[in-house]
Amino acid sequence: MKYLVTAEEMKEYDRNTIERIGIPGMVLMERAALAALGEIRKIMKKCRDQRKRVLILTGMGNNGGDGLALARLLAEESWEVEIWHVGERKKASPQWEKQSAILQNYPVKTGSKPFREEYTILIDALFGVGLSREVKGEFAQAIETFNSLSGYKIALDVPSGIDSDTGRVLGTAVRADMTVTFGFLKRGLALYPGCLYCGEVKVDGVGIGEASFFGRKPQMFCYDEDAESLLPPRDLAGNKGTFGKVVLAAGSRNMAGAAVLAARAAYRIGAGMVKVITPEENRVILQQQVPEALLGSPKELLQSLKWADVIAAGPGLSTGKQALELLRSLIFESSLPLVLDADALNLLSEENTFFQELSRQGAAGRRMILTPHVGELSRLMGKTIQELKENLPDAGVRLAERLHAVLVVKDARTFVCREDGTVCVNLAGNSGMATAGSGDVLAGVIAGLCAQGMEPFEAAAAGVCLHARAGDKAACRCGEHGLMAGDIIENMAFCQDTQRKEIRWTNGTRN
């Protein structure tokens, strides 16, 4: 996995590295400058403009100090270096002052504005992490001017003007071609819209690693390992019962497609058996589209619950009276692990007694996963979409705390939230997955993983990642414009290729 840190977390790890581990701040600053220099060298090998002219925009904090250290290193390599200071000198940090004093011995130009309109490389070292207020006045003007200049733009740590925690644009922001960030990936570099401003992101530890946590790990992470490693292990001597039984309450009259997609996804991800509880009108369609599935009517629900390992409810369910009674039974008549999606969430938002009962059951230990998109989350929490989008991970964690459940908050970036504050963010996927039925597929995937014995948070986090990776493979085959939900399911088969291992026998013994 890969960690994503807030500004507060990064400052703590930086401080721990300096004060508790003993690496001086000036050493970390030198390493940051060397990391940026290494990227510039790579760029210059492919750059047609070999004039070696660089402009470094600096503020008066430690990010500006990184820029000054980089200026010295570039001057040593015969670059024509110009430094553009913005801000009051009296507010300069101690490390900035030290770097400035050292730089007096090198041939660099310093001024309060650019000397030309075109450079080979432009370096943004204005703010760095921790910016939380709107950028105004001379700083906003400096960013606008910086963006207008010609040349390859590199931001140090975070593009100036981007909230490093949320990715929000604070009025205006640098549009970088590359961001070289230090220590760990900052949340705002991965979240929208900040990720649209940072270009290619390079992470360099500069000496700040997991040893700097001292027991306080970052609360957000993403998966960066192969999809195959996220799949649950298979029992070579298992059978269809071994790999889990899913009861799927899905579909309504004229809405069979959602049930089809969720059932197929649960099978494709490895569930052994799936029983779909759906109206009689859907029987023929399901038998044709998912012949592997077992079928049951809503009247058979309670008996089916005795057979199942996990319940999934919501895809295409509708919000009518029959759906309401079905959901009531799933909540009050069972203690099985529960995955709630789509219309089940809409019913939950309307029935306060359901909400209260689930909260009570969650506190008592019932395992539950809710998978709302932002609109459904808005109804569940009684907040506007705009309010929620200010900090979606935080909203997901707060609802997880209330229900003692796992929340999968679906958006351009999907967040899997646990009540202890841990968040897994998905960085895979593509715009083609914003299509009807994609959420139904995800619900089936998560239910299928739960049925195979994965704990709710791990099943949800792995499910979101596998769903997105399959979507990316599907987009490679049919394009983002042409991608359909069924394509995601078909490409899940490719996620499991490496699970097939050669079996060798010697003298009747398996090796």
Side-chain angles (χ1 to χ4, degrees):
M1 66 176 64
K2 178 166 58 180
Y3 291 111
L4 291 83
V5 299
T6 63
E8 182 180 357
E9 288 170 339
M10 192 63 240
K11 288 176 181 177
E12 178 181 347
Y13 303 146
D14 187 78
R15 186 168 57 251
N16 287 344
T17 305
I18 295 169
E19 298 177 0
R20 301 177 70 172
I21 294 178
I23 300 176
M26 288 291 283
V27 172
L28 297 178
M29 192 168 279
E30 189 75 6
R31 288 179 173 178
L34 285 167
L37 178 65
E39 296 302 330
I40 291 172
R41 287 171 176 164
K42 294 175 187 176
I43 292 166
M44 290 304 293
K45 288 181 180 179
K46 300 179 287 185
C47 186
R48 295 177 64 182
D49 183 358
Q50 293 293 316
R51 289 176 293 178
K52 300 182 75 171
R53 293 175 177 172
V54 61
L55 173 69
I56 303 178
L57 171 63
T58 72
M60 296 296 164
N62 285 346
N63 189 247
D66 292 339
L68 296 181
L70 177 59
R72 170 173 46 80
L73 295 176
L74 289 169
E76 289 175 348
E77 297 194 359
S78 302
W79 279 75
E80 186 178 340
V81 182
E82 297 177 16
I83 297 176
W84 173 16
H85 291 314
V86 180
E88 300 179 47
R89 181 66 179 264
K90 63 182 181 181
K91 295 182 179 180
S93 71
Q95 290 187 13
W96 188 99
E97 289 287 8
K98 289 180 181 178
Q99 292 290 357
S100 179
I102 295 170
L103 197 58
Q104 302 306 309
N105 300 297
Y106 291 82
V108 300
K109 293 181 180 179
T110 301
S112 57
K113 62 180 181 180
F115 291 91
R116 52 171 60 92
E117 296 182 354
E118 182 179 339
Y119 297 86
T120 312
I121 300 287
L122 298 102
I123 303 295
D124 164 32
L126 186 58
F127 288 130
V129 301
L131 181 69
S132 58
R133 293 182 295 180
E134 294 287 307
V135 179
K136 298 179 179 179
E138 65 174 330
F139 297 103
Q141 185 177 354
I143 288 174
E144 294 297 333
T145 301
F146 184 88
N147 284 336
S148 71
L149 298 173
S150 177
Y152 191 92
K153 298 179 176 68
I154 301 175
L156 299 187
D157 225 6
V158 176
S160 295
I162 296 297
D163 186 313
S164 63
D165 288 355
T166 67
R168 189 163 64 93
V169 178
L170 300 170
T172 187
V174 165
R175 289 189 174 273
D177 298 297
M178 174 184 287
T179 298
V180 183
T181 196
F182 312 121
F184 300 96
L185 181 65
K186 314 307 182 297
R187 290 188 183 188
L189 299 180
L191 307 183
Y192 287 98
C195 60
L196 302 177
Y197 285 74
C198 57
E200 185 179 6
V201 178
K202 301 288 186 177
V203 183
D204 193 293
V206 301
I208 303 174
E210 294 187 20
S212 302
F213 292 164
F214 285 93
R216 285 172 52 94
K217 293 194 300 185
Q219 290 194 300
M220 184 178 287
F221 71 93
C222 68
Y223 288 123
D224 60 353
E225 50 263 69
D226 292 338
E228 293 83 359
S229 66
L230 302 178
L231 292 165
R234 301 287 282 184
D235 183 350
L236 295 172
N239 55 58
K240 61 187 178 183
T242 306
F243 301 124
K245 295 167 284 187
V246 178
V247 159
L248 173 63
S252 56
R253 188 173 183 179
N254 298 323
M255 287 288 288
V260 168
L261 291 167
R264 289 182 63 207
Y267 270 124
R268 185 67 79 186
I269 206 65
M273 304 172 76
V274 179
K275 187 171 187 178
V276 184
I277 304 298
T278 194
E280 183 64 27
E281 293 91 335
N282 294 335
R283 178 175 292 273
V284 173
I285 296 172
L286 278 157
Q287 287 176 329
Q288 292 175 336
Q289 298 296 318
V290 197
E292 302 89 347
L294 306 173
L295 299 178
S297 71
K299 293 180 181 180
E300 300 169 38
L301 176 64
L302 293 182
Q303 187 64 33
S304 298
L305 294 180
K306 297 177 183 179
W307 165 86
D309 296 310
V310 64
I311 306 165
L317 194 62
S318 86
T319 56
K321 183 178 179 181
Q322 186 179 65
L324 180 66
E325 292 307 313
L326 190 149
L327 183 60
R328 187 188 306 277
S329 296
L330 296 181
I331 293 174
F332 288 91
E333 304 294 334
S334 176
S335 60
L336 287 172
L338 185 61
V339 179
L340 295 180
D341 181 52
D343 284 332
L345 298 173
N346 292 327
L347 288 168
L348 183 61
S349 67
E350 296 170 1
E351 294 291 328
N352 192 47
T353 56
F354 289 7
F355 196 99
Q356 291 175 343
E357 177 62 16
L358 284 180
S359 179
R360 184 194 68 77
Q361 291 183 10
R366 187 175 189 182
R367 294 177 292 172
M368 299 181 295
I369 301 171
L370 281 68
T371 63
H373 57 57
V374 182
E376 291 160 347
L377 185 66
S378 172
R379 291 187 283 276
L380 285 167
M381 299 191 72
K383 293 185 177 295
T384 66
I385 291 176
Q386 184 176 356
E387 287 173 326
L388 293 173
K389 278 183 169 285
E390 290 289 324
N391 195 330
L392 270 181
D394 182 64
V397 168
R398 282 188 278 118
L399 187 55
E401 289 172 344
R402 287 172 60 188
L403 287 170
H404 309 284
V406 172
L407 261 290
V408 178
V409 182
K410 298 182 292 191
D411 199 39
R413 291 284 190 242
T414 292
F415 304 95
V416 181
C417 308
R418 192 158 56 187
E419 62 179 311
D420 67 358
T422 304
V423 176
C424 178
V425 58
N426 175 55
L427 302 185
N430 59 83
S431 67
M433 298 178 70
T435 187
S438 180
D440 305 322
V441 174
L442 178 60
V445 168
I446 293 173
L449 292 173
C450 285
Q452 294 173 75
M454 294 184 75
E455 289 300 312
F457 182 79
E458 285 70 25
V464 167
C465 184
L466 291 166
H467 177 260
R469 302 280 184 88
D472 284 339
K473 290 187 177 184
C476 289
R477 289 168 169 78
C478 57
E480 293 183 29
H481 290 81
L483 193 152
M484 297 172 66
D487 299 321
I488 300 173
I489 299 172
E490 296 312 312
N491 281 277
M492 284 178 198
F494 294 94
C495 291
Q496 303 180 60
D497 281 348
T498 60
Q499 291 293 303
R500 301 170 186 160
K501 297 179 180 178
E502 183 181 359
I503 299 173
R504 296 178 179 175
W505 295 80
T506 304
N507 297 327
T509 304
R510 183 179 177 201
N511 297 324

